Amino acid sequence: MADTALALPGRNRRRVRVTASAVIVGAVLLAVLLVPPLAQLDQQAVDLSNKLRPPSWAHPFGTDDVGRDLLLRCVYGLRVSLLVGLVAALTATVVGTAVGALAAAFGGWTDRVVMRLVDTFSSVPHLLLGIFIVAMFRPGVWPVIVSVALTHWLSTARIVRSEVLSLRSRPFVDAAVSGGASRFRVIARHLLPGVLPQAGLAAVLMVPHAMWHESALSFLGLGLPAHQASLGNLVQSARGSLLAGDWWPTLFPGLFLIIPTLALAGLAGAWRDRINPRRKSELML
């Protein structure tokens, strides 16, 4: 009874954290899907007579340095960041899963060569490699997606490789090989289904990372064009206002970046606990 009493508060905290994360993610999705068509406002509309107005009923997040509504700009910026994060995470997960699974399934020199290449790319900082990639293209959404995807598949490849190496030693794989199944059939029917939960978790964890990566590139002026709403662009353009004492153009885009990424990380943590359950003794602490 004492152990159960100690376990309940921890479980309640996890349940509250997961519920709060799910509510925030749901609210974010509704905002990016419904606010732009329902607002019927041009997020690029300039109104110099209303520039740098503090938060009010007319403009809940205030206005920026050219009078644009900051709430609408933040929603559009979050829309772009989510697009980049989701597409880049999905692409990087597919590439990493394919590379990791093939390297572990074939083994031998194939595994050694592929993993040495992974180690070589991992030795270069993600942001530096991403800057090099986007510098070869004109500013836009798709160069940023390509940059993030090509710099974030390495960790997924390592995770999938370790899972496939573990699955290769299972009896059902030996039975499939003894029954005459080809190598590709074993990979497709037995190995890949076993690593999909880990690959999916890696994709969810990668979305917040990709959103921060896109914001960093846009903040440095290498991501999206300066006129296009992006959380990184909004923070970058608000630096002068912050020095003048106007805090809202920096605060609200920052919160739109921090809160959704923390919520996504919370859901990913709950998923990780479900597919990798800890021992009961750990849950009691």
Side-chain angles (χ1 to χ4, degrees):
M1 294 295 293
D3 290 342
T4 304
L6 289 173
L8 287 176
R11 292 175 182 174
N12 289 335
R13 284 195 299 269
R14 283 191 294 273
R15 189 178 298 114
V16 169
R17 184 167 62 247
V18 172
T19 302
S21 298
V23 169
I24 291 172
V25 171
V28 165
L29 292 177
L30 288 176
V32 299
L33 292 175
L34 299 180
V35 169
L38 293 179
Q40 296 296 320
L41 296 173
D42 183 8
Q43 53 108 3
Q44 298 284 10
V46 174
D47 184 5
L48 294 177
S49 62
N50 280 324
K51 69 176 184 177
L52 290 176
R53 293 292 178 89
S56 61
W57 286 110
H59 303 283
F61 286 4
T63 59
D64 63 7
D65 56 350
V66 291
R68 294 173 295 194
D69 184 78
L70 200 57
L71 172 58
L72 197 60
R73 296 277 290 170
C74 287
V75 171
Y76 273 93
L78 182 58
R79 204 179 193 184
V80 172
S81 294
L82 280 176
L83 172 65
V84 172
L86 291 172
V87 177
L90 180 61
T91 305
T93 301
V94 171
V95 173
T97 301
V99 172
L102 291 176
F106 281 90
W109 67 268
T110 303
D111 184 30
R112 290 192 294 272
V113 170
V114 170
M115 296 316 296
R116 293 300 77 75
L117 289 175
V118 170
D119 293 338
T120 301
F121 281 108
S122 297
S123 64
V124 182
H126 286 176
L127 186 58
L128 182 61
L129 186 58
I131 290 173
F132 175 76
I133 294 173
V134 297
M136 297 188 296
F137 303 94
R138 297 181 60 183
V141 173
W142 290 108
V144 175
I145 291 176
V146 171
S147 169
V148 175
L150 291 181
T151 56
H152 288 72
W153 61 271
L154 306 169
S155 58
T156 304
R158 286 199 179 96
I159 293 171
V160 170
R161 174 181 176 271
S162 64
E163 289 293 320
V164 171
L165 289 175
S166 175
L167 291 173
R168 281 180 56 184
S169 61
R170 303 290 178 85
F172 65 87
V173 174
D174 293 335
V177 174
S178 301
S182 66
R183 181 171 293 179
F184 286 102
R185 182 176 178 82
V186 171
I187 295 173
R189 294 293 300 273
H190 300 285
L191 298 181
L192 281 180
V195 302
L196 286 181
Q198 295 289 347
L201 175 60
V204 175
L205 286 170
M206 204 180 302
V207 172
H209 196 132
M211 292 174 63
W212 280 92
H213 202 90
E214 177 274 324
S215 297
L217 290 174
S218 296
F219 182 82
L220 294 174
L222 298 169
L224 274 67
H227 68 275
Q228 188 169 351
S230 157
L231 295 178
N233 281 342
L234 292 178
V235 174
Q236 197 277 338
S237 62
R239 289 185 304 168
S241 302
L242 182 63
L243 294 175
D246 300 320
W247 49 269
W248 56 93
T250 304
L251 175 65
F252 291 114
L255 292 178
F256 263 61
L257 180 61
I258 294 171
I259 293 176
T261 54
L262 289 178
L264 286 170
L267 292 179
W271 186 359
R272 180 182 56 215
D273 292 340
R274 179 173 290 274
I275 65 176
N276 294 318
R278 293 170 292 180
R279 295 175 300 176
K280 290 184 178 180
S281 60
E282 294 175 338
L283 292 174
M284 295 296 181
L285 296 177

